[in-house]
Amino acid sequence: MASRAPAATSRLMVGFRKWYYNACGFNKLGLMRDDTINENNDVKEAIRRLPEQVYNDRMFRLKRALDLSMKQQILPKDQWTKHEADVHYLEPYLEEVVHERKEKEEWAKK
């Protein structure tokens, strides 16, 4: 009986994640999680480092979401961003920028 608990807990967490993802609402506008990150200096630098096609895709999603928001509409359900399809495209670049900034701060202290 004890061996089933981790699997049940894992399924429960996956179900909760999917529910929360849909409850946030940004997927109904066609946005991905990384499109909603608050833009500070680190995020702006990470966005600047994105490959051109990824950057263009991001800008399309943001402009479409802004247009839908102004019209107080959402996309048809078949066009919503799915939890499984949401990739963290900005995260590797952001981690790199934060690491470089911390390294520069460390060197500036010396």
Side-chain angles (χ1 to χ4, degrees), residues 39-56:
E39 290 190 18
N40 59 24
N41 290 335
D42 292 338
V43 174
K44 287 178 184 178
E45 176 62 23
I47 291 170
R48 190 187 67 74
R49 295 180 184 192
L50 287 173
E52 185 177 2
Q53 184 59 43
V54 176
Y55 177 80
N56 290 340

Side-chain angles (χ1 to χ4, degrees), residues 50-89:
L50 287 173
E52 185 177 2
Q53 184 59 43
V54 176
Y55 177 80
N56 290 340
D57 291 344
R58 172 188 166 86
M59 294 311 296
F60 171 77
R61 288 190 304 272
L62 291 172
K63 288 179 180 180
R64 178 179 59 183
L66 181 60
D67 184 53
L68 288 167
S69 180
M70 289 177 63
K71 294 177 182 177
Q72 296 182 351
Q73 297 176 348
I74 59 173
L75 290 171
K77 191 163 186 161
D78 63 325
Q79 294 181 19
W80 292 3
T81 306
K82 312 257 184 311
H83 180 263
E84 298 80 20
D86 192 346
V87 294
H88 303 300
Y89 66 90

